[in-house]
């Protein structure tokens, strides 16, 4: 039965030989790496990644387990990952460390070199275990595997840590796919059959013809048609980094997709990745694209595998693992944290970013504290991996290079604007008059503000904090809507749908909301009020006012709230916004004002603050190839998951049903994915206190649910007991 070394064995005794697995993985990895010019490296990394499985210890464990569970490799607790790295170092000396990171990390994730933070898991420590290589070589590894030349392809000029993560992605995805094909061939077959981007381009053109034929002949729609035409024309330009500066309501979602499809057709790029800042707004964009492209669209949230999403299929769940689909809709968290990840599950998709068009929606929301590593990664993708980046926003951030006394902002070179004259476009789409307070430093009381809002038949008021939102809502008429992140995603979606229906029907509609409505939520109010904030936030608020241009002018009223903005970037942005709005200018929201705003916001941070976690230091080029992959990944968290903790709420019949299934079935993956729509994140201190009081309960290890019905309210969302004292700076969003 076991005539040669094996890699895997099924419970019914089918054998996957080690030779077959290594050569298959090498071939797949070579194909993946060829997209960015490193076929030989991809092949050799794949060929050597499992050399440790030739050891007698591993073979004995695997064969002894024959007839047991299907994925018996997990039972063979023998280090089979280090031997390939040891052999590479023996063959290629210092350069062999490049292979060693990949081989040693292909299960546990890319390691740190130094042991100061990760101990024996560090690569420097693992490479001391010479016996692992001796054991593997004693297994008579065929010469056709061992005797390999050093690759001829040179990675000169590339960021070595980034390049290693891309190669790592090729190997781990190839390894997963070959293993999957052996164990579950029917699952592997579901990964094929997507339409080409060319076919999707045809679907898009047909959709737009129908859409434009049914659109009313209004000034706004004529301008949108011009924006679309400009995007199609500019798409012929050579790949690189582009900006699309279009006022809110200008149709940039569809126009940016038109750019991407035409650009990919001209330059042979193979997929489109649409990156959105917030999970709370991703569904709207993904649904719009699914109407056009069907199941060619894969929606991938952070920590979310697409199951339970309307329109998801078994194939789309698979594509979330490695983004092997023509159109990906994902979040900033998922996209950028993956680029700096070390874990195999997060890194699998990276090689499929190469040769893509990446659209960054609402680019002004890139977090300043991670801006330098983010921009460096985007520049690396542009220079060396065939990626075109489109920065898409109404309020274009100042991301170009800048040098000043004592400060250098490397930024992104060569950004090309899609629109010929953004300033003129802004003027032609200007539909809102901005009304500033007489005294920009004098706060308004909530009571006076509520009286003023109540006099408006339909109005949206956006505040900076969750507790501000609740206080103001409590002073409003009973039919006023409330929106905040203390409402689960399903609840917010239902509320927004009701609000839109009322507005479309011409019914009086008042809404008090946090800033979650300022990106990707297409609301159209005749009047909007905005608490003082950064200039970008105020402009985004203006985009919810007279959006369709059906009035001569809508009104955006800026007011000074009685509470201060949360500490950190939001407070700094509000301070800059206050100063700029205090200047006597004709139009406080003109495009050039945002250049001034973002320059001050970024430069006020200082160069060090634009990489607050020292990510680039962990990954900087080093002659001895000492990188801290795992430490960098742990630091690169766009959302601080140590400050928040989730609780599942029983919103609506569906939420209650799913929580009931969780109680009876346990934490099955498909069920947890569906429950993502019913999660509210609470400050850790509040979560801990409510748990101690029995208001929330731990139903399974690390999974918390609402303890009783009164905790969740149809108007406000999650309602902790009034005796709980909030820390105001935890209550934003």
């Amino acid at each position: 039965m076991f005539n040669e070394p094996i890699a895997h064995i099924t419970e019914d005794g089918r054998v996957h030989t080690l030779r077959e697995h290594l050569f298959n993985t090498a071939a797949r990895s070579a194909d993946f790496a060829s997209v960015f010019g490193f076929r030989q490296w991809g092949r050799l990394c794949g060929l050597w990644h499992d050399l440790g499985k030739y050891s007698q210890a591993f073979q004995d464990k695997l064969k002894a387990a024959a007839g047991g569970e299907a994925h018996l490799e997990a039972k063979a607790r023998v280090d089979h990952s280090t031997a390939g790295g040891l052999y590479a170092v023996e063959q290629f000396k210092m350069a062999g460390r490049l292979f060693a990171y990949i081989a040693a990390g292909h299960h546990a994730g890319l390691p740190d070199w130094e042991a100061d933070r990760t101990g024996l898991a560090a690569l420097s420590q693992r490479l001391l275990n010479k016996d692992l290589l001796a054991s593997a070589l004693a297994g008579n590894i065929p010469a056709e595997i061992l005797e390999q030349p050093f690759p001829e392809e040179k990675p000169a000029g590339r960021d070595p840590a980034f390049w290693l993560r891309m190669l790592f992605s090729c190997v781990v995805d190839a390894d997963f796919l070959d293993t999957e094909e052996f164990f579950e061939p029917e699952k592997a077959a579901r990964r094929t059959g997507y339409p080409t981007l060319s076919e999707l381009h045809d679907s898009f053109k047909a959709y737009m013809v129908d859409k434009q034929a049914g659109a009313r002949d209004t000034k706004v729609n004529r301008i949108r048609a011009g924006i679309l035409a400009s995007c199609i024309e500019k798409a012929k330009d050579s790949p690189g980094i582009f900006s699309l500066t279009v006022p809110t309501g200008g149709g940039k979602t569809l126009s940016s997709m038109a750019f991407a499809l035409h650009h990919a057709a001209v330059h042979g790029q193979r997929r489109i990745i649409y990156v959105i800042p917030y999970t709370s707004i991703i569904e709207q964009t993904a649904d719009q694209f699914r109407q056009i492209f069907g199941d060619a669209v894969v929606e991938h949230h952070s920590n979310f595998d697409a199951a339970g999403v309307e329109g998801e299929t078994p194939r789309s769940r698979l594509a979330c693992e490695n983004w092997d689909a023509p159109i990906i809709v994902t979040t900033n968290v998922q996209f950028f944290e993956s680029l700096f990840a070390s874990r195999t599950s997060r890194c699998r998709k990276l090689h499929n970013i190469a040769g893509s068009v990446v659209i960054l929606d609402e680019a002004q929301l890139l977090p300043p504290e991670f801006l330098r590593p983010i921009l460096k990664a985007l520049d690396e993708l542009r220079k060396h991996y065939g990626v075109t980046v489109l920065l898409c926003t109404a309020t274009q951030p100042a991301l170009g290079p800048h040098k000043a006394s004592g400060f250098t902002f490397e930024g992104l070179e060569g950004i090309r604007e899609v629109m010929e004259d953004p300033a003129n476009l802004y003027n032609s789409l200007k539909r809102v008059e901005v009304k500033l307070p007489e005294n920009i430093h004098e706060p308004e009381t909530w009571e006076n503000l509520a009286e003023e809002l109540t006099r408006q038949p339909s109005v949206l008021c956006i505040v900076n904090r969750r507790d501000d939102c609740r206080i103001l809502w409590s002073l409003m008429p009973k039919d006023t809507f409330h929106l905040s992140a203390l409402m689960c995603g399903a609840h917010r979606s239902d509320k927004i749908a009701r609000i839109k229906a009322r507005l479309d029907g011409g019914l009086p509609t008042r809404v008090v909301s946090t800033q979650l409505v300022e990106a990707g939520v297409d609301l159209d109010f005749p009047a909007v009020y905005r608490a003082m904030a950064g200039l970008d936030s105020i402009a985004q608020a203006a985009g919810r006012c007279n959006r369709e241009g059906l009035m001569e002018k809508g009104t955006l009223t800026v007011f000074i709230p009685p509470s201060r903005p949360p500490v950190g970037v939001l407070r700094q942005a509000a301070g800059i916004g206050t100063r700029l709005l205090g200047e006597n200018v004709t139009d406080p929201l003109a495009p050039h004002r945002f250049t001034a705003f973002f320059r001050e916001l970024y430069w006020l941070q200082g160069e060090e603050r634009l990489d607050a976690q020292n990510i680039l230091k962990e990954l900087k080029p080093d002659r001895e190839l000492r990188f801290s992959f795992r430490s960098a990944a742990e630091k690169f968290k766009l959302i601080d998951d140590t400050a928040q903790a989730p609780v599942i709420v029983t919103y609506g019949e569906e939420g209650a049903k799913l929580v009931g299934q969780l109680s009876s079935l346990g934490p099955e993956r498909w069920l947890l994915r569906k429950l993502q729509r019913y999660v509210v994140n609470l400050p850790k201190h509040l979560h801990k206190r409510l748990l101690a009081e029995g208001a929330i309960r731990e139903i399974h290890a690390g999974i918390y649910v609402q303890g009783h019905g009164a905790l969740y309210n149809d108007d406000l969302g999650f309602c902790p007991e009034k005796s709980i004292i909030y820390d105001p700076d935890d209550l934003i969003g």
Side-chain angles (χ1 to χ4, degrees), residues 331-380:
T331 60
N332 281 355
V333 170
Q334 184 63 245
F335 183 76
F336 289 112
E337 287 189 3
S338 294
L339 284 175
F340 289 91
S342 65
R343 289 190 293 121
T344 55
S345 58
R346 269 285 178 86
C347 287
R348 277 187 69 180
K349 64 179 78 73
L350 294 187
H351 70 91
N352 277 327
I353 297 175
S356 299
V357 180
V358 174
I359 302 170
L360 294 182
D361 192 30
E362 306 295 359
Q364 79 282 358
L365 293 174
L366 294 176
E369 61 270 32
F370 292 101
L371 194 61
R372 288 184 63 223
I374 283 174
L375 297 186
K376 186 172 178 59
L378 292 176
D379 202 43
E380 197 71 13

Side-chain angles (χ1 to χ4, degrees), residues 364 368-369 371 396-402 404 407 409 533-536 568-583 591-607 609-610:
Q364 79 282 358
E369 61 270 32
L371 194 61
Q396 202 64 240
L399 297 180
H402 177 79
F407 177 77
F409 181 62
L535 217 59
D536 57 333
V569 173
L570 292 178
R571 186 169 293 180
Q572 290 176 347
I576 298 168
T578 301
R579 188 183 62 74
L580 291 175
L581 290 175
E583 296 176 355
H592 69 274
R593 304 283 288 168
F594 296 106
T595 302
F597 169 76
F598 281 108
R599 281 180 176 172
E600 189 167 340
L601 177 65
Y602 297 156
W603 302 343
L604 187 66
Q605 293 281 318
E607 187 177 11
R609 294 286 298 279
L610 297 179

